[in-house]
Amino acid sequence: MKNPILVIHGPNLNLLGLREPGVYGTSSFDQINQEIRDYSEKLGLRCEIFQSNSEGALIDKIHEAYDTFCGIILNAGAYTHYSYAIRDAIAAIRLPCIEVHLSNVHAREEFRHKSVIAPVCVGTIAGFGKQSYLLAIQAMSTLI
Ligand code: DQA
């Protein structure tokens, strides 16, 4: 059987539902994760979900992924905009990675327009709220 896919949430995403609901929606972190699990199952994919607020823990998880997962869906939160270390970790493991954002980062503050992670990802899905994760799962199902 195929390895599972790994969904990674970066900093502050554990506060979804509570955090700026006008930007990120009112669904809680747990509700969104349940929808991710249900949708993956519907597509016949196994998935594991990981969240950390710490850059090092995110990098360690990406390293671990290289022989146990078949692809990564990553919302790196604010690290998206400046973490060369996360970018290098993705480049190192050579698994397909899809970058995800709930909000349309391009319609927001200028510092969110730049992603240092995008060049090492297959593609980016942003602006569809929690649906962005489900679209990424659908896209991943065609890649793996
Ligand atoms: C985010 C966008 C980032 O700019 C922000 O720092 C986040 C969430 C999103 O999902 O829209 O934490 O990645």
Side-chain angles (χ1 to χ4, degrees), residues 11 13 19 24 75 77-78 81 101-103 105 108 112:
L13 293 164
R19 175 190 183 201
Y24 299 115
N75 184 348
H81 312 300
H101 301 286
L102 294 129
S103 64
V105 283
R108 300 181 63 198
R112 296 186 206 273

Side-chain angles (χ1 to χ4, degrees), residues 13 15-19 21 24-32 35 102 130:
L13 293 164
L15 297 183
L16 286 173
L18 189 80
R19 175 190 183 201
Y24 299 115
T26 52
S27 298
S28 71
F29 182 62
D30 287 345
Q31 283 165 345
I32 291 173
E35 289 190 40
L102 294 129
K130 62 184 178 179

Side-chain angles (χ1 to χ4, degrees), residues 3-21:
N3 282 341
I5 58 176
L6 176 62
V7 177
I8 301 182
H9 304 281
N12 301 310
L13 293 164
N14 53 313
L15 297 183
L16 286 173
L18 189 80
R19 175 190 183 201
E20 301 183 79

Side-chain angles (χ1 to χ4, degrees), residues 6 8 55-69 72 85-95:
L6 176 62
I8 301 182
E55 189 179 23
L58 294 168
I59 292 166
D60 287 343
K61 191 68 189 178
I62 292 167
H63 289 179
E64 264 173 43
Y66 93 98
D67 61 349
T68 40
F69 292 91
I72 296 179
I86 291 179
R87 173 205 165 107
D88 285 352
I90 295 164
I93 57 154
R94 288 186 278 158
L95 283 181

Side-chain angles (χ1 to χ4, degrees), residues 85-142:
I86 291 179
R87 173 205 165 107
D88 285 352
I90 295 164
I93 57 154
R94 288 186 278 158
L95 283 181
C97 181
I98 299 175
E99 177 185 2
V100 163
H101 301 286
L102 294 129
S103 64
N104 178 357
V105 283
H106 301 287
R108 300 181 63 198
E109 302 93 323
E110 182 129 20
F111 75 89
R112 296 186 206 273
H113 298 180
K114 168 91 183 158
S115 166
V116 300
I117 286 166
V120 293
C121 290
V122 181
T124 301
I125 299 171
F128 299 95
K130 62 184 178 179
Q131 193 72 18
S132 293
Y133 287 103
L134 308 187
L135 291 167
I137 290 164
Q138 198 187 329
M140 187 61 82
S141 75
T142 68

